[in-house]
Amino acid sequence: MSEAPPYIDAEAMSRLVPMSTAIEAVEAVLKTGLDPEAEPPRGVVDVPGGQLLLMPSSTTSYTGVKIATVTPGNAALDLPRVQGVYLLLDGTIHTPLALLDGIALTSLRTPAVSGAAIKHLAVADARRLLVFGTGPQAWGHVEAVRAVRPTLEHVDVVARNPERVATFVDRCREAGLSAAPATAADVATADVVCCCTTAREPLFDSALLPSHATVAAVGSHEPDAREVDEELLRRGLVVAESHGVALRECGDIVLAVDAGAFDVERLRTLGELVRGEVEVAEDRPRLFKSAGMAWEDLGVGAAVYEGWRALD
């Protein structure tokens, strides 16, 4: 009887794969031939009390699937709204290799994907970051920006809960950055803006955004929800994970197309960006819109597993 695959929890994951390694893993997948356009859509199955999400992907080396649940009623029970696990298998014989904490994996890979984009979009001397949100994704994006722009000095924090903002500001300061509570108007002084919220309407007026700024919007994967306004897409360079996902799940893009503010022919992909196929003009802002894709979980999950194996 074969041994059960190891379970790699959130604490182990943070030790095994620092943000810089996760970003490298994302770039490596895109540089080795995987086509995000060929990925199957996110599977959504209605179940009693919520939804079951299925996200499979494969390469010649690994196959994997994230299984997550979304249970809105859990909040009243003081339980997580989103839970999940990731199953990693061998890429050809499909032997189970490891189970990973699915939520911790998502919390790592999402900012890592943004980091891969910001690495190629942000100005080289970016010093000021503005973050919308105070949750795990917001902190992950601070880490991601810092990983690709060690010039980062200051973080402005915008969120509805003053206590959480204060706690987040303290965390940034403990990490050696200056930080302060801010308002949406402070995008006017930002080099990088990260939108990590559950907002369904634009978080800021993009007319205030400097022409050199980079925005990463990761908070939604629904065609009728957005964190940035359509004028940002009219004005800027727009990059998404894939054309298919952009037009199926990214409200920031879908709503701008519907309003006639954005021509999808202008859309560039993260793969093109990472491979150096996108010209980044310095006189207009840049937007990276992410909805989350299964290949990202696979790439970072494989890096976690390889880090665990290296400990043997």
Side-chain angles (χ1 to χ4, degrees), residues 3-270:
E3 292 184 5
Y7 180 75
I8 304 175
D9 62 17
E11 183 181 354
M13 202 176 299
S14 66
R15 293 196 312 268
L16 293 169
V17 179
M19 184 59 68
S20 58
T21 301
I23 292 169
E24 291 169 1
V26 169
E27 290 193 284
V29 172
L30 292 170
K31 290 177 178 178
T32 53
L34 181 139
D35 180 11
E37 303 291 350
E39 289 272 292
R42 186 194 321 265
V44 181
V45 180
D46 290 329
V47 295
Q51 292 180 321
L52 179 68
L53 308 181
L54 303 171
M55 297 178 66
S57 187
S58 63
T59 65
T60 55
S61 300
Y62 297 100
T63 293
V65 59
K66 184 165 69 179
I67 304 170
T69 55
V70 181
T71 315
N74 275 6
L77 304 173
D78 199 27
L79 294 171
R81 178 176 177 271
V82 181
Q83 302 172 89
V85 66
Y86 192 84
L87 173 62
L88 183 70
L89 307 102
D90 179 88
T92 53
I93 61 174
H94 306 139
T95 302
L97 300 175
L99 288 170
L100 286 68
D101 181 322
I103 304 310
L105 179 60
T106 303
S107 295
L108 176 60
R109 66 85 156 139
T110 302
V113 172
S114 293
I118 292 166
K119 176 180 176 180
H120 298 274
L121 291 174
V123 291
D125 61 347
R127 290 180 170 81
R128 297 184 66 91
L129 165 66
L130 186 144
V131 177
F132 287 95
T134 56
Q137 283 298 338
W139 180 251
H141 278 75
V142 173
E143 292 185 307
V145 174
R146 201 174 195 184
V148 298
R149 290 296 182 269
T151 52
L152 183 67
E153 297 174 350
H154 179 80
V155 180
D156 282 319
V157 185
V158 182
R160 291 174 293 185
N161 186 303
E163 289 83 8
R164 291 180 181 174
V165 169
T167 299
F168 198 93
V169 165
D170 287 344
R171 188 175 186 182
C172 291
R173 290 172 178 169
E174 289 167 4
L177 297 164
S178 70
T183 68
D186 289 311
V187 298
T189 60
D191 299 312
V192 180
V193 176
C194 292
C195 304
C196 312
T197 74
T198 58
R200 303 187 68 84
E201 297 295 336
L203 294 165
F204 61 94
D205 179 359
S206 67
L208 300 173
L209 198 67
S211 59
H212 72 274
T214 294
V215 178
V218 306
S220 72
H221 55 85
E222 298 173 82
D224 59 349
R226 59 181 171 181
E227 294 177 291
V228 302
D229 61 28
E230 60 201 41
E231 288 304 315
L232 176 56
L233 284 88
R234 189 193 305 274
R235 177 183 170 199
L237 168 67
V238 183
V239 178
E241 292 146 304
S242 80
H243 286 85
V245 164
L247 298 177
R248 187 171 61 242
E249 300 184 10
C250 297
D252 307 73
I253 295 172
V254 171
L255 295 172
V257 171
D258 290 347
F262 182 69
D263 181 349
V264 293
E265 295 297 321
R266 289 175 45 212
L267 180 66
R268 306 305 301 268
T269 66
L270 182 60

